[in-house]
Amino acid sequence: MPLEIQTKTIFGRTDGPHLLITGGVHGDEFEPMAAIRRLMRLLNPADLNGRVTLAPVVHENAYRRCNRLGDDGLDLARTCPGRADGSPTERTAHALSLLIRSADYYIDLHSGGTTLSVLPLAGYMLHALPCVLEAQRRMALSFNLPIVWGASPDLDGRSLSVARDAGVPAIYAEYHGAATCDPAGVEAYVEGCLNVMGELGMIAGREPLPSCVEYVIEDDSENAGHMQIQNPAPSNGYFEPAVRLGDPVKVGQLLGNVTDVLGDWVVPVNSTQEGIVLVLRTFPTVQAGDSLAVILEVDGRQRWTS
């Protein structure tokens, strides 16, 4: 049976672009949900050109479980474009894909959920069509978070890969997480979405704010942007980080240790990259293969600047 995602569409006073904004693709990411609900209250049809479709909780099955995954064990962000006659997550992926294909532009809001914390960033998939790539660059810059990250165009199963295949300019954003709903993240997301709407000509008279962007990185190497496979835990255990989010690190530097329950054995995890700590595991209990940290290489990867 087809599944419907709960949305609210706000129609402007004049025709214009159709912008889709989603949150809750993972059920444990809370800043996006709060920000989108606030946008529902803030957006005034009289000030809007075009229309905005808002979906604060895309994966309700995972949301009810307080988990990243649905009760079928699937990650929605690895299941797109899904199936109308599949499992609950596959059906949600199918419904989300229909929404994305109906839009002219797309913003997908995320956070680190209950296990990770992420430096604030706006990202996108590198795209073969120059017009799509340029639109994504403009959107990501105007979202106005410290990091702009264009990454591999070859990662499938995601909301952004559906947009990629449909030729819909799309960005995603990340802001902290760690099982909280950071008020600063909610505010940054509200402002970021409004900034993009101003950039797209959907809100008249919105002046650009001073730029908060510190890094603009494009990296088309294999698996760039795939956060869940970087610096994996060597075994089950307890993770004790030795770095903080945003710290600069060098090759060989200790990122943290994985220990057993009694602390009798300690396995160090050392960085294989030089850069800054973009993502850090904050939930101490780990299983072998869990990502412990993501290092963003800020030198030698910059392909484009504003």
Side-chain angles (χ1 to χ4, degrees):
M1 177 186 298
L3 181 147
E4 242 182 76
I5 294 169
Q6 294 193 64
T7 64
K8 180 176 182 179
T9 299
I10 299 174
F11 293 87
R13 59 184 171 81
T14 60
D15 290 337
H18 177 201
L19 173 65
L20 172 66
I21 304 175
T22 61
V25 165
H26 297 120
D28 63 347
E29 298 178 358
F30 307 117
E31 288 89 348
M33 302 174 191
I36 293 173
R37 287 193 293 268
R38 189 183 298 180
L39 283 168
M40 289 177 173
R41 298 190 297 270
L42 282 176
L43 289 175
N44 184 350
D47 300 328
L48 181 63
N49 300 315
R51 58 191 164 114
V52 182
T53 297
L54 300 150
V57 183
V58 170
H59 199 182
E60 288 194 47
N61 181 271
Y63 172 68
R64 289 193 298 270
R65 299 182 70 239
C66 308
N67 199 285
R68 177 183 175 89
L69 310 178
D71 57 16
D72 53 10
L74 295 179
D75 182 340
L76 178 57
R78 303 294 179 269
T79 308
C80 291
R83 295 169 43 199
D85 60 348
S87 71
T89 300
E90 290 173 321
R91 289 160 53 210
T92 303
H94 176 77
L96 174 59
S97 299
L98 293 177
L99 280 176
I100 293 168
R101 295 179 189 127
S102 75
D104 298 311
Y105 299 95
Y106 178 37
I107 301 172
D108 190 16
L109 302 178
H110 287 264
S111 80
T114 54
T115 59
L116 303 171
S117 187
V118 188
L119 278 183
L121 70 89
Y124 51 91
M125 282 188 171
L126 297 171
H127 204 284
L129 291 177
C131 59
V132 174
L133 179 58
E134 180 56 30
Q136 293 178 156
R137 287 169 168 171
R138 287 170 46 219
M139 292 167 68
L141 272 177
S142 64
F143 205 92
N144 205 25
L145 293 178
I147 296 169
V148 171
W149 190 21
S152 171
D154 299 322
L155 300 176
D156 291 326
R158 293 156 164 77
S159 59
L160 262 63
S161 62
V162 174
R164 173 201 66 199
D165 295 344
V168 175
I171 64 171
Y172 71 99
E174 300 275 0
Y175 201 109
H176 292 177
T180 65
C181 185
D182 185 343
V186 175
E187 183 66 24
Y189 274 178
V190 170
E191 289 299 311
C193 290
L194 293 174
N195 290 343
V196 171
M197 293 169 67
E199 176 68 23
L200 298 176
M202 299 181 70
I203 301 178
R206 185 170 177 84
E207 296 295 326
L209 298 173
S211 177
C212 296
V213 176
E214 299 175 17
Y215 297 102
V216 178
I217 307 295
E218 289 193 343
D219 181 1
D220 62 359
S221 61
E222 185 179 6
N223 288 322
H226 192 346
M227 295 182 180
Q228 281 69 39
I229 63 172
Q230 308 299 319
N231 296 293
S235 62
N236 296 352
Y238 185 97
F239 177 56
E240 298 175 338
V243 293
R244 295 174 299 179
L245 200 66
D247 279 355
V249 297
K250 297 186 179 297
V251 174
Q253 182 173 335
L254 180 68
L255 297 176
N257 294 303
V258 176
T259 72
D260 66 350
V261 171
L262 297 178
D264 290 335
W265 54 258
V266 178
V267 181
V269 179
N270 299 314
S271 178
T272 59
Q273 300 165 279
E274 181 172 344
I276 59 173
V277 180
L278 180 69
V279 183
L280 187 64
R281 174 90 179 188
T282 55
F283 194 84
T285 305
V286 297
Q287 295 181 332
D290 285 346
S291 176
L292 303 179
V294 176
I295 308 303
L296 180 66
E297 297 179 344
V298 295
D299 293 322
R301 296 281 181 176
Q302 191 156 322
R303 308 287 172 86
W304 163 78
T305 57
S306 58

